[in-house]
Amino acid sequence: MQFPTRVWRHFDVLLLAGAAVLTIAGVAMIRSAIGGNENLAELVPRQAIYAVIGFAVVLIVAAIDYRMWSGLARPLYLFTVGILALIQIAGFVGFGAARWFNVGIATIQPSELAKILMILVMAEYFSHNQTDLQRFSTVVRGLVLVGVPVFLIFIQPDLSTAIVLLVIWFAQVWAAGVRIRHLGFLVAIALLMALIVLPFMARYFVSGYVNGEDFLFLQHYQMERLVTFLLPDPNVQHGASYNVNQALIAIGSGGLFGEGYGHGTQVQLRFLKVRHTDFIFSAMSEEFGFTGAVIFLIILMFVISRCLRAARFARDTYGALICYSVSILLLFQGAFNVGMNLNMFPVSGLPLPFLSYGGSSLLASLFGVGLVESVNLRHKQIEL
């Protein structure tokens, strides 16, 4: 009975506490954000149930030796590709995209799970091939590895999640020690492709966008978000422009200390749309002001710092890459969502970690925390 005790003494209670505070705050903010809307009332207990399940997942995943996932990398990859391909056939369509499976009692978003599973798959690939990263072919194979799920997510369409996977790939290949010239070559190719696309995009802005046409592989609503961000029209007060404007009004009206929980005018009068998902940061800023928003960001950064700490003390490259990738995932999604609310980035569907409504997103984030805890528990050689 001494073995479990010796293992669990390294459990990062502070990391779990930070994730718990954010998750509880998320459930409370969703309750306020729905503004008494009876059609959305069931979201609060549902998110609370997801939270309870999520923390059970943290403990279960932490108890499993993270190195076990390394041996399952190939089945995990095939499973990821399989469910992403299946959603094109049996996926539930919502908001113009097929991203969910409807299982009766809940909807599941496979792309959220794919983020975590691909972290495990890519970490195994780069740790196993770390000595061969000096070869450009190794880097290209890693890009092809992530490219398949990226493509399947992109055609849902879900551009933002596809970008998240590419960001995680870039972070892992960088942390694993790739040559700078190899990354520079890939960046040069990406820039060349962008230069080729730019003339077509300019032509689209002149005629195609006005006529409601799609652009290459991007749908019109995705281009509308980009146009709204790059070329805002103050006379347009609908669609993505409306949401961004209301979000800025909500953030500004919060002032230093906010209007109080459940008393935000933009939220309670329902001027702010999708306030319990994409724009929940604006709802929080209105009710708790600049002070509350900063406190939330500090707690989120604390959680990320604990993940980075686990990466620093990991016993092997595989564990370090897992922790590093989870921290990058939380950082990128959090920064992009906040920036979107502040009109610094185009509107996207990326959730605010732990806070936005969404069972799949919350479970994926807590799954990631569980993986970090698993690395923490085994950061030293356990004496039997």
Side-chain angles (χ1 to χ4, degrees):
M1 297 299 294
Q2 293 181 347
F3 180 74
T5 303
R6 288 176 177 236
V7 172
W8 287 93
R9 67 181 180 180
H10 298 299
F11 189 85
D12 192 345
V13 178
L14 294 178
L15 171 60
L16 182 64
V21 169
L22 294 175
T23 302
I24 294 172
V27 175
M29 277 308 308
I30 292 169
R31 178 180 179 276
S32 175
I34 62 177
N37 189 334
E38 295 182 358
N39 295 327
L40 301 177
E42 65 176 10
L43 300 186
V44 179
R46 184 178 297 178
Q47 188 75 353
I49 293 173
Y50 284 133
V52 173
I53 296 174
F55 283 106
V57 169
V58 171
L59 298 178
I60 293 172
V61 173
I64 300 172
D65 191 330
Y66 68 92
R67 290 165 294 185
M68 184 205 72
W69 301 106
S70 177
L72 297 174
R74 181 170 295 180
L76 289 177
Y77 182 73
L78 294 177
F79 175 76
T80 302
V81 172
I83 60 174
L84 292 176
L86 182 61
I87 204 170
Q88 299 297 321
I89 303 173
F92 171 76
V93 178
F95 303 100
R99 302 178 186 174
W100 299 270
F101 285 125
N102 190 340
V103 295
I105 60 175
T107 55
I108 301 174
Q109 189 172 359
S111 59
E112 291 293 337
L113 178 61
K115 297 175 186 177
I116 301 299
L117 296 184
M118 286 307 300
I119 283 177
L120 295 171
V121 171
M122 288 188 288
E124 193 280 332
Y125 175 81
F126 288 119
S127 62
H128 183 75
N129 295 281
Q130 189 174 14
T131 56
D132 295 328
L133 273 180
Q134 306 307 315
R135 301 177 181 175
F136 185 66
S137 59
T138 304
V139 179
V140 173
R141 287 200 304 272
L143 185 58
V144 173
L145 183 73
V146 73
V148 175
V150 164
F151 172 75
L152 292 174
I153 291 174
F154 177 77
I155 63 176
Q156 290 181 1
D158 188 356
L159 177 61
S160 56
T161 301
I163 292 175
V164 169
L165 284 183
L166 290 176
V167 168
I168 294 174
W169 172 86
F170 183 87
Q172 284 205 13
V173 74
W174 175 272
V178 68
R179 286 185 175 181
I180 301 297
R181 67 184 186 188
H182 291 164
L183 282 183
F185 181 72
L186 292 176
V187 171
I189 293 177
L191 291 176
L192 179 61
M193 293 176 63
L195 290 175
I196 295 174
V197 171
L198 278 177
F200 296 96
M201 184 174 290
R203 180 181 177 182
Y204 174 81
F205 286 161
V206 174
S207 59
Y209 174 73
V210 177
N211 297 326
E213 300 174 2
D214 296 337
F215 175 73
L216 298 180
F217 301 106
L218 298 177
Q219 294 195 2
H220 180 262
Y221 80 90
Q222 294 175 310
M223 293 303 297
E224 182 182 15
R225 293 175 175 179
L226 181 61
V227 171
T228 299
F229 175 72
L230 296 176
L231 305 169
D233 186 349
N235 297 318
V236 176
Q237 297 296 327
H238 59 81
S241 297
Y242 176 86
N243 290 337
V244 171
N245 291 338
Q246 296 302 319
L248 293 176
I249 293 173
I251 294 173
S253 62
L256 186 59
F257 297 107
E259 298 180 0
Y261 179 73
H263 292 86
T265 53
Q266 295 296 112
V267 174
Q268 302 305 318
L269 296 178
R270 305 178 189 177
F271 290 111
L272 181 63
K273 306 301 180 183
V274 288
R275 53 195 175 275
H276 60 293
T277 53
D278 295 353
F279 291 97
I280 199 166
F281 178 79
S282 299
M284 180 184 63
S285 299
E286 182 180 38
E287 297 191 352
F288 297 101
F290 176 79
T291 303
V294 169
I295 291 174
F296 161 76
L297 292 177
I298 289 175
I299 298 175
L300 179 59
M301 291 305 299
F302 175 77
V303 170
I304 293 172
S305 70
R306 299 304 293 185
C307 294
L308 291 173
R309 176 183 178 275
R312 187 168 70 252
F313 291 110
R315 66 187 302 171
D316 55 20
T317 302
Y318 180 63
L321 288 177
I322 289 175
C323 298
Y324 182 59
S325 299
V326 171
S327 65
I328 291 297
L329 173 63
L330 297 177
L331 176 63
F332 181 79
Q333 289 197 165
F336 200 99
N337 183 278
V338 172
M340 176 189 74
N341 278 252
L342 296 172
N343 199 27
M344 298 174 62
F345 299 121
V347 174
S348 74
L350 287 182
L352 191 57
F354 306 106
L355 202 69
S356 293
Y357 172 78
S360 299
S361 173
L362 180 60
L363 291 176
S365 297
L366 292 175
F367 195 134
V369 171
L371 289 173
V372 174
E373 291 286 13
S374 179
V375 176
N376 268 323
L377 293 180
R378 297 160 183 86
H379 77 280
K380 291 182 180 180
Q381 180 67 38
I382 304 300
E383 297 178 2
L384 299 176

